[in-house]
Amino acid sequence: MRHFFVYALSALLFFSCNTDSRNENEEKDAYDNPMARQLLEEEKMKDPALGFVPYERLYNAITYTEA
């Protein structure tokens, strides 16, 4: 009976440690995607009325801010 508890406890520890490391890798992969970041930045700059990024107005805003 004692061996059963030892095996059950060791299996529980093994599987709990194994799932934790997988979650850490998933979190790390979520932040390591430069293409998704670029698409997000483009969506934030997009004019909702036009549906695209008005680069001329963006350039004017940047030069105005720098001046």
Side-chain angles (χ1 to χ4, degrees):
M1 187 61 139
R2 193 169 110 188
H3 293 287
F4 174 74
F5 288 118
V6 170
Y7 290 132
L9 181 62
S10 55
L12 179 67
L13 289 173
F14 175 74
F15 288 117
S16 67
C17 292
N18 197 14
T19 56
D20 288 341
S21 64
R22 186 178 62 200
N23 289 339
E24 289 174 8
N25 290 338
E26 289 174 359
E27 285 182 23
K28 184 178 179 184
D29 290 341
Y31 295 108
D32 196 20
N33 192 349
M35 180 63 82
R37 180 176 179 221
Q38 179 64 30
L39 290 174
L40 177 65
E41 290 296 323
E42 190 172 322
E43 283 294 319
K44 287 169 37 177
M45 289 189 299
K46 188 186 295 186
D47 184 0
L50 298 175
F52 61 90
V53 178
Y55 289 107
E56 184 178 328
R57 287 192 299 173
L58 183 63
Y59 176 76
N60 291 339
I62 291 171
T63 56
Y64 178 79
T65 304
E66 289 176 350

